[in-house]
Amino acid sequence: SHVQAWSNLGIVLYNHGDIPGSIDAYRKGLQHDSNHVDSHNNLGNSLRANGQLEEAVFHFNEAIRLKPDYPHAYSNLANVLKDLGRLSDALAAYDQAVSLDENYFEAWNNRGATLQELGDLNGAMTSIERALALNSNYADAWSNLGNVYRDLKDFDKATEYLNRSLNLNSTLFMAWNNLGVVYKDQHQHKKALAYFEKALELAPNYAEAHNNLGHSLDKHGKIDKAQKHYEDSIRLKPGYASPYNNLGNLLQNLGDTN
């Protein structure tokens, strides 16, 4: 059918990094059949990747309206709600995803990460461990479990689980960053530098790593480099509060009150 052909093209374009092209293909497909569930779901993913978050929410909700037992649409909706900072709504959507498919380990993992952000560390641990029981080689889940133990100030376990994550996937830039944070939290800023630099080598536009690298450089007395990384972090993620605070403190210490 026309809609399936456009949907297939959208998938190919998305997988080749042509996000605007995939959006256009899915939209053209939906002109032929506005009730094509997978096109709504896939269009939502492309819109999210393109930063069009509210539109993505609309299309995931359309997919769910058309197919209420579609766990991936609930999980994708949760991901974009999390991007929007709507953590309680995201958690409810993850709950729906895992209730529809109790073996959906990615959703269990993301649910755990959301609970961590909400401050429920025990709930987070239980959910992430459920993901790992379903897939013990899931690097993202080991990374998230390490983050929970970091919040619990159990730095030995945090380091163990983040290293396990990197042993499974050495390109997981978030795990490199998070391991750096473990060392930063223990005031080992010189050691943390290498991990933040590795994260940025893998993901040069990762705002959190720029901010963390800036902070460790700041503590290490490398003020000019620190300032640049704070400014890079702000440029890449203007709604991210921490680098503004860090940059403000740095400038204040330099006597620049403007």
Side-chain angles (χ1 to χ4, degrees):
S1 68
H2 289 297
V3 65
Q4 191 61 56
W6 283 113
S7 180
N8 292 341
L9 177 60
I11 292 168
V12 170
L13 292 169
Y14 181 91
N15 289 337
H16 281 81
D18 184 357
I19 304 303
S22 71
I23 291 171
D24 185 56
Y26 294 131
R27 289 198 195 282
K28 286 178 177 174
L30 287 167
Q31 289 174 5
H32 291 279
D33 179 2
S34 63
N35 292 327
H36 193 256
V37 175
D38 286 339
S39 290
H40 279 293
N41 182 60
N42 292 335
L43 177 55
N45 284 327
S46 291
L47 289 165
R48 180 190 178 211
N50 207 43
Q52 297 168 253
L53 303 184
E54 294 293 353
E55 279 191 78
V57 169
F58 171 81
H59 286 284
F60 291 136
N61 277 323
E62 280 296 284
I64 290 164
R65 180 182 66 80
L66 293 163
K67 189 177 179 182
D69 60 347
Y70 192 6
H72 286 83
Y74 277 107
S75 181
N76 290 333
L77 173 62
N79 292 339
V80 76
L81 290 170
K82 194 165 180 280
D83 291 343
L84 288 164
R86 295 167 55 184
L87 297 181
S88 296
D89 292 337
L91 180 60
Y94 286 130
D95 285 344
Q96 285 285 351
V98 296
S99 71
L100 291 166
D101 181 1
E102 62 183 17
N103 295 319
Y104 194 175
F105 60 88
E106 296 96 339
W108 282 111
N109 176 56
N110 290 333
R111 178 180 181 273
T114 304
L115 285 165
Q116 181 195 5
E117 287 195 50
L118 287 167
D120 181 358
L121 299 182
N122 288 329
M125 198 182 304
T126 299
S127 194
I128 296 166
E129 287 173 346
R130 180 69 179 269
L132 288 167
L134 293 165
N135 183 356
S136 62
N137 292 320
Y138 189 29
D140 292 69
W142 285 113
S143 178
N144 284 336
L145 188 59
N147 293 341
V148 172
Y149 277 99
R150 186 195 75 218
D151 282 356
L152 291 168
K153 307 300 181 187
D154 188 337
F155 296 122
D156 289 340
K157 280 190 176 178
T159 301
E160 176 189 345
Y161 294 142
L162 286 162
N163 277 318
R164 190 176 298 191
S165 171
L166 290 169
N167 287 337
L168 290 165
N169 182 2
S170 63
T171 67
L172 192 60
F173 59 89
M174 288 180 289
W176 285 103
N177 176 71
N178 293 336
L179 194 49
V181 173
V182 170
Y183 291 118
K184 181 168 75 75
D185 286 353
Q186 297 175 87
H187 308 290
Q188 298 180 41
H189 294 286
K190 187 173 182 179
K191 192 168 186 178
L193 289 174
Y195 291 92
F196 298 139
E197 288 168 349
K198 181 65 176 181
L200 288 171
E201 177 188 321
L202 294 166
N205 293 327
Y206 187 24
E208 285 82 354
H210 278 288
N211 180 52
N212 288 329
L213 179 56
H215 189 254
S216 286
L217 287 165
D218 193 352
K219 294 294 184 183
H220 210 56
K222 298 183 178 180
I223 304 303
D224 290 344
K225 287 183 178 180
Q227 181 172 344
K228 180 184 181 301
H229 284 288
Y230 290 146
E231 290 169 349
D232 285 342
S233 182
I234 290 166
R235 174 179 55 80
L236 291 163
K237 196 172 181 180
Y240 180 30
S242 182
Y244 290 97
N245 182 61
N246 289 335
L247 179 59
N249 289 336
L250 181 149
L251 293 172
Q252 187 176 42
N253 290 336
L254 290 174
D256 182 351
T257 57
N258 294 320

